[in-house]
Amino acid sequence: MVMTPVAGKLRNTSSLALVLLLTIAGLVAVSRFNYLLFHALIELLSIVVGVSIFVLAWNSRRYLENQFFTLLGIALLFASGLDLLHMAVYKGMGILPGYGPNLATQLWIAARYLHCFSIVIAVMVIRRPVSTSLLFWGYGVTTVLLLWSIFAGLFPVCFVEGTGLTPFKKYSEILICSTFGIGLLMLHRQRDQFSRWVYGMLVASLLTAISAELAFIFYVNVYGLSNMVGHLFKLISFLCLYLGIIRSGLEDPLEVVFHEIKVKDEQLVALNARLVNTNEELETRVAARTEELRLMVDNLHEQARQLEEEIAERQQAQEELKRAKEAAEAANHAKSAFLANMSHELRTPLNGVVGMAQLLALTNVDTEQKEYLDTLQYSADNLLQLISDILDITKIEADQYELHSSEFSVRECLDQAVGMLQRRIDEKGLNVTVDISDAVPETMIGDHVRVMQIMTNLLSNAVKFTEKGSITIAASIKEQHDSTMLLELTVSDTGIGIEPDYLGHIFDTFTQVDDSPTRKYGGAGLGLAISRKLAELMGGSISVESRLQQGSSFHFLLPCSVPSRPNRPHAALEDRVVPRFAEVPAICSLPVLVAEDNPANLKYAKKLLEILGCKVTEAVDGKEALEAWEQGDFKLILMDIQMPVLRGDEVVKIIREREQDRHVPIIAVTAHALMGDQERFAAAGCDGYLAKPFQINALTDAIKRVMH
Ligand code: ADP
């Protein structure tokens, strides 16, 4: 069985208690025979204990951190001196015969004052460094002063024979008890500074000291019971001091002298244990964290690997995308080239068809033939329009569309657009109004050919989709900033209108609201798509508002600039205006060389030139053309570009190299109408350019331009 230190000490002390009881009993018995002996023995025992505590504290003062013992030892030494004197002058001892019992009582009180106040002071200085020599001297002087005051008769009287204790003595006892009590309380607050055993013994000593003083309050005479009980309590009080300080101090110095070391040692052990625990905990946590980190690193590696794979996949996808894009671009380019070629190939024979029909119309034909001829011309016109639209779309999509800005009259443009569709308007009996706001300037700068194209398209749709009612064409200025304006051209009709669901799609290519196989209205669904694209190319826009069965309004917004000095504007249309032959004037009677491999086109061009009064020489390929030029003196050459043996542009180059002072005007004629063609022909040496199929007024305009 493990025994706590206190329990062990109590057990050891039980035998001592037995000895104490026997001693007390012996002393009580002794007091029956000789009270003085009893008194002397008790005082001597307390003196021995007091002096021993001093000896112990004094000799270990260098190691003591707890100054309580130092102070108590010195105080008890001097109190023991007073107690020794008290014992010596006790009534009946006869050592100082001249003094009565008052002297012993005064010495007793003085010793007790010294004792009780020292307890309070000792608790107060428990943690403070004290100078032992100063204490020694202090207590020495106090004791001497007390003795001096007693023997000089200055100390208050404590006992009067026959009367008993004086009030001073009684109040002093109460004061001493209270001081011990205060000491007890103060000691309790500092109990951590002592081992449990030592603290217990100190408390027991103070309690028995208080009991002794209380007993002495009732002192009657030397042999009285209270006197004996008081002395016995004093004996027990000092015995407790002996057990708590002297015996413990000698048997187990860690309890008293090295208590601090013991406490610190215990704290160290506890700290060490905590350190070990903390260390173990830390190691566990470090291991867990290391594992976590390892998993994280593995995870990161995995993620990095996945990322690398993803990047590689993306790179591959990008490569594929790039290849697909290049393939799509190549396909798109091929498509554009194909469409351009196709339109060229279609335009060439169509030129012949249109031209021949026009020539035929000039001959004497009967009514039935005239009707067939009209249908032929109408169909050829439609086909030509479709080819032109396809070519336009192709050029826009291939970014090959060129704009040519020049001065033009908005009013003339609109009038011509109406004029072109006049026949159909009249057929349907529609009422067309052109409303031009006063704010619209007389002339503006823009690509009038494209403006005309858009307006003709919008107007032709309005005519197409309006059975009865009216069409209004309005021009106004929406915004104006200095010389730039936002021109708004509106075409409104009272026609069939457009279903709301289709409104958002009518500007898409090949889109028609009525896409049933038995469509009532003709068209390819390209007109609006081209119009919007052209408007956007010019920095403008087209929008639509429409209500079913009530009509539609198309708004064409076009940024234009105003010329600083207005000139005579260009005619609105070139090759798209259907000419009236009767209006075409004969230019002159020039010798003209026409180089053209297609017989129909050659015939057509020759006939037109003859109408204009020209003398025409024919050449069917490049070589023949060159030879004809060398032999003749031509005032004008119409040079087809696409010719066998020698290409037209090559012939032009040779002519330009060979001719000296004389410069023959050459007009390039081609069904190619792609961007850069004009520049190419101009670079070869051509003076003008005519796109097939051409009408007579386009021819006259071209001739006028090159002939000045
Ligand atoms: P299309 O040559 O077929 O007329 P567009 O691109 O010019 O092609 O027009 C596309 C479609 O938009 C037409 O087929 C028609 O359904 C509708 N549309 C265009 N203008 C009008 C209008 N003024 N009134 C009613 N519908 C119209």
Side-chain angles (χ1 to χ4, degrees), residues 78-122:
F78 286 94
S80 296
L82 292 173
D83 277 342
L84 189 66
L85 220 55
H86 157 78
M87 184 199 78
V89 299
Y90 207 70
K91 186 186 173 190
M93 290 293 278
I95 292 177
L96 289 175
Y99 292 91
N102 177 47
L103 178 62
T105 318
Q106 282 178 319
L107 286 166
W108 167 267
I109 282 294
R112 295 294 69 76
Y113 269 127
L114 211 59
H115 185 181
C116 73
F117 284 119
S118 296
I119 292 289
V120 174
I121 298 167

